[in-house]
Amino acid sequence: MLLGDRAKYVMLVGGLTFATMLMTQQSAVFFGILKWTTSHLSNMRAKLWIVDRNVQQANELKALRDTDVNRVRSVTGVAWAMPIYVTIQSAKLADGNFKPIMLVGLDNTTLVGRPPVMLQGRLEDVRLPNSIILDDLGVQRLSVGRAKPLGLGDTFELNDKEARIVGICRADRHFFGYPYAYSTYTQALQFAPKQRKMLSLVLAEPAPGWTPERAAKQIEIETGMKAYTEDELFWSTIWWYFRNTGIPVAFISIIVLGFIVGTTISGQTFYAFVHENLRHLGALKAMGASNALLARMLLVQSLTVGFIGYGIGVLLVTAFGHAVLGRGEPPFMLPWQLPAATFAIVMGICCFSALLGIRKVWKVEPAVVFRG
Amino acid sequence: MPVSATSASPLAVHVRAVTKTFGTGEAAVPALKGVDFNARQGELLMIVGPSGCGKTTLLSVIAGTLNFDGGEIDVFGSPLHQMKPRAITEFRKRNVGFIFQQFNLIPTLSCIENVSVPLLINGASRREAEQKAETLLKQLGLPGRGRERPTNLSGGQQQRVAIARALVHEPRLVICDEPTSALDKDTGGHIMELLRDVARHPDRSVIVVTHDNRIFKYADRLTEMEDGRVQRVHGQGGNHDLSE
């Protein structure tokens, strides 16, 4: 019946497609932003992160004393601990402009905190004087004004010092949109202006037989510094953005709006469809169709348009994701749980819409068909 | 085998002292005030009377689509007054066919699909239901129109589809509410001839509620209602004069 009523069918499918798109796409962009806020974790990777005791999230590092790395190394339950220097520095472009980059200084010997994926060059070459490993976003950003994109062996100016590219890597994008550049710890200190305290954080590994949680606790007890496991820092960062920025509220508002729009459009349209067809439904009831049969019929019709609307919506979001992931922005992350949750919500909306109609049909007397 | 009902034909519908009141208290409107009424098997019986006399209410309670307050109704031996709502629905599903004033065909379904509905409700497979529906539509003079939507057909053709829908599951009681009021005289006449043929079945009864005095001649008997009661029953013969 519903599929034959073109106008309402298109309206319902359109409404549910729109709701699916709004909920899934906005959630995916929101998740993408949250992922960007934790890019340090995915780009440096360690089981234990030791920072100043007041640090609550990965992007707000307060400098430690150089000696703090040795204090961590001395803690029972720590297998190893390496210093990391993280700073935002300005790189000069060929056209004279400047672009900020996220400079990461790795332990000279072990290169702990190294880039996740090397695309070109050798990681070990970062130990050569004035060497930098730049991520692909950095190549794109710093190539502005050049005849051809930056490549291995090319140089650029970083704080009035020459930096030579010895490797190109792939790294997750930072929340602020800065490219990542890796160097050794001592070399990074040369690139950056001198400050009293230069150590940003310490990456560590628990000793055999120690869980990261237990080792973190021990570090806190013995050093007074804050020690996070990778998981703890991830969620601490996420929650920090929830508490301290309007980003979640903005996105959640739009997601809720999508839910309300979907519910309103489909609920109203489906109710109107039932209302307009009440005589026919009453006739079916007179012919012996039970309430349960009519309820099943309405539910199947509602869920059918739900499936179609959801399918089209998710398809469009996937196409959007495919397009933006190629460009690298806006942020987009679509784990399977997200379309699954949207599916459950859309089906919930359809069940609710059907329920409105079922309630109406349930009450209708079959004798209604005899009233002129 | 076509038959014609006589006074000796067994009763199809037996109504005794049936009452029905709509609303309560001061707003209460008695629609049926102790109706006694019979319809025989193989008979086409018409219920006539002025608007508001209770004929549609009587039709509704006989069909089992409306509860009544008092009295007894037996339809082909089934006591509706003793049956629970679910049993009445089940009874209606198997034994009652409906023809409505405005046809009540579902406009978004094809004619075959519309006619198949009672069979599907009775649990037939879609294929079986559609085969039967197509055969019946052919018998009723609508060959090749089965795949069309009812809105593409004339009023008379739509009513034929509605008759096919009422008969497809071979019900024993066919209930017709003003079946010709939306049709012109000739088409209405054809439809009534068809219904009279439908009634000529030893195990079936057709009850028609109508205002349309042009079709009274097709009735085996006329039951005249007034103010919630049966006033007169006009016997067989085909010429029923209600001018008295």
Side-chain angles (χ1 to χ4, degrees):
Chain A
M1 278 169 89
L2 178 59
L3 269 56
D5 188 341
R6 285 280 166 80
K8 292 205 172 48
Y9 172 69
V10 169
M11 182 83 165
L12 269 168
V13 170
L16 290 168
T17 299
F18 181 69
T20 303
M21 268 188 70
L22 214 56
M23 288 189 286
T24 315
Q25 190 260 3
Q26 287 297 302
S27 301
V29 172
F30 179 52
F31 281 13
I33 286 181
L34 290 184
K35 187 166 182 277
W36 280 11
T37 66
T38 59
S39 60
H40 279 351
L41 281 93
S42 52
N43 288 339
M44 290 179 234
R45 301 172 324 279
K47 287 184 182 161
L48 291 168
W49 293 64
I50 298 96
V51 288
D52 182 273
R53 71 170 69 187
N54 296 316
V55 168
Q56 295 175 347
Q57 55 117 336
N59 300 300
E60 194 187 42
L61 300 170
K62 292 181 174 63
L64 302 167
R65 287 183 305 236
D66 293 344
T67 51
D68 284 338
V69 65
N70 289 326
R71 292 174 63 216
V72 176
R73 281 170 180 155
S74 69
V75 173
T76 322
V78 172
W80 52 256
M82 301 298 165
I84 293 281
Y85 177 54
V86 182
T87 177
I88 297 164
Q89 296 298 323
S90 289
K92 191 174 181 184
L93 307 182
D95 63 3
N97 283 318
F98 290 88
K99 283 276 180 194
I101 61 168
M102 184 70 68
L103 180 64
V104 179
L106 310 173
D107 173 63
N108 297 21
T109 314
T110 61
L111 301 180
V112 162
R114 69 192 70 173
V117 180
M118 286 295 292
L119 298 173
Q120 290 178 44
R122 289 182 343 123
L123 177 69
E124 297 76 13
D125 289 346
V126 79
R127 295 193 184 103
L128 296 171
N130 303 331
S131 296
I132 284 277
I133 295 173
L134 200 57
D135 72 2
D136 42 6
L137 175 67
V139 170
Q140 185 193 323
R141 292 265 173 92
L142 304 188
S143 295
V144 174
R146 289 175 181 264
K148 63 183 182 81
L150 284 168
L152 297 184
D154 287 339
T155 58
F156 64 94
E157 208 176 296
L158 187 58
N159 268 347
D160 296 330
K161 295 178 185 71
E162 186 185 71
R164 181 176 301 279
I165 299 169
V166 295
I168 295 170
C169 66
R170 181 179 297 141
D172 284 348
R173 200 173 283 204
H174 188 261
F175 177 60
F176 300 147
Y178 302 152
Y180 274 86
Y182 294 84
S183 184
T184 58
Y185 187 83
T186 45
Q187 187 64 60
L189 297 182
Q190 300 301 314
F191 282 127
K194 192 75 184 159
Q195 286 177 301
R196 193 170 66 85
K197 293 197 279 187
M198 301 288 274
L199 176 64
S200 303
L201 59 101
V202 176
L203 299 182
E205 174 88 3
W210 285 69
T211 63
E213 290 76 17
R214 196 169 147 230
K217 195 85 186 161
Q218 192 63 29
I219 292 167
E220 285 185 356
I221 291 167
E222 291 190 30
T223 66
M225 289 188 283
K226 180 73 187 168
Y228 287 102
T229 65
E230 195 175 20
D231 207 36
E232 282 168 356
L233 185 58
F234 176 88
W235 287 111
S236 180
T237 303
I238 298 287
W239 286 119
W240 189 91
Y241 279 89
F242 264 86
R243 283 194 308 270
N244 295 286
T245 70
I247 299 167
V249 175
F251 277 95
I252 289 169
S253 309
I254 297 172
I255 293 162
V256 170
L257 200 68
F259 174 75
I260 293 170
V261 167
T263 310
T264 309
I265 291 179
S266 70
Q268 256 186 358
T269 310
F270 202 78
Y271 186 79
F273 158 72
V274 170
H275 191 75
E276 282 173 22
N277 285 283
L278 213 55
R279 274 190 80 80
H280 301 306
L281 294 164
L284 292 177
K285 223 168 168 178
M287 285 180 226
S290 62
N291 279 332
L293 178 67
L294 292 174
R296 274 208 308 277
M297 198 179 96
L298 292 179
L299 199 62
V300 165
Q301 293 186 73
S302 180
L303 291 179
T304 303
V305 289
F307 271 115
I308 296 167
Y310 169 81
I312 297 171
V314 163
L315 205 70
L316 291 172
V317 172
T318 309
F320 171 84
H322 191 71
V324 300
L325 283 176
R327 289 178 45 211
E329 58 187 6
F332 188 87
M333 186 184 170
L334 190 65
W336 68 265
Q337 291 91 340
L338 189 53
T342 312
F343 178 75
I345 292 170
V346 170
M347 290 301 120
I349 291 173
C350 292
C351 288
F352 171 74
S353 307
L355 209 63
L356 291 178
I358 288 167
R359 201 169 148 260
K360 185 102 182 154
V361 170
W362 211 274
K363 284 182 179 173
V364 78
E365 278 185 19
V368 72
V369 289
F370 292 123
R371 288 174 202 149
Chain B
M1 185 180 69
V3 293
S4 185
T6 65
S7 55
S9 299
L11 286 181
V13 178
H14 185 39
V15 177
R16 292 180 296 278
V18 165
T19 57
K20 172 70 184 175
T21 301
F22 292 105
T24 53
E26 286 183 9
V29 178
L32 300 177
K33 301 173 180 172
V35 173
D36 293 303
F37 165 88
N38 291 325
R40 297 196 186 96
Q41 295 186 22
E43 176 179 59
L44 190 155
L45 184 134
M46 284 187 191
I47 304 172
V48 300
S51 293
C53 69
K55 50 188 192 300
T56 299
T57 305
L58 178 60
L59 193 72
S60 300
V61 295
I62 291 169
T65 58
L66 187 67
N67 297 329
F68 50 98
D69 303 329
E72 295 179 354
I73 299 178
D74 287 292
V75 181
F76 285 96
S78 296
L80 298 190
H81 51 282
Q82 290 175 356
M83 290 161 72
K84 293 197 168 141
R86 188 170 286 188
I88 292 177
T89 303
E90 197 63 27
F91 173 80
R92 238 174 25 230
K93 186 165 87 176
R94 301 197 186 287
N95 297 296
V96 186
F98 293 89
I99 297 168
F100 306 107
Q101 183 177 356
Q102 296 299 331
F103 321 133
N104 266 357
L105 297 169
I106 298 167
T108 51
L109 301 183
S110 70
C111 295
I112 285 182
E113 287 167 336
N114 265 289
V115 175
S116 303
V117 165
L119 289 171
L120 296 173
I121 291 174
N122 275 292
S125 71
R126 188 176 175 143
R127 196 175 159 193
E128 182 195 345
E130 292 197 350
Q131 271 177 356
K132 271 194 169 181
E134 198 167 4
T135 308
L136 193 54
L137 282 171
K138 266 185 203 161
Q139 286 172 7
L140 291 174
L142 291 169
R145 310 298 299 267
R147 297 289 163 200
E148 288 188 41
R149 295 276 171 93
T151 43
N152 294 338
L153 305 182
S154 68
Q157 287 171 326
Q158 286 188 49
Q159 196 60 298
R160 278 169 193 268
V161 176
I163 291 171
R165 184 178 66 179
L167 299 178
V168 73
H169 57 304
E170 297 170 9
R172 301 173 81 188
L173 179 64
V174 179
I175 295 285
C176 311
D177 180 34
E178 305 277 8
T180 57
S181 68
L183 305 174
D184 61 53
K185 185 186 168 197
D186 289 344
T187 313
H190 292 314
I191 292 297
M192 285 314 301
E193 280 169 16
L194 204 57
L195 286 175
R196 196 164 58 183
D197 290 343
V198 167
R200 299 284 177 264
H201 189 287
D203 195 24
R204 184 179 288 150
S205 181
V206 176
I207 300 177
V208 177
V209 158
T210 186
H211 272 108
D212 188 355
N213 56 14
R214 296 171 306 180
I215 64 167
F216 288 175
K217 61 186 176 192
Y218 296 98
D220 294 316
R221 282 191 304 146
L222 276 171
T223 297
E224 196 184 343
M225 283 189 73
E226 203 175 306
D227 193 26
R229 290 188 180 88
V230 172
Q231 291 295 339
R232 275 177 290 275
V233 178
H234 301 264
Q236 285 174 293
N239 285 317
H240 307 288
D241 184 4
L242 297 185
S243 57
E244 297 163 26

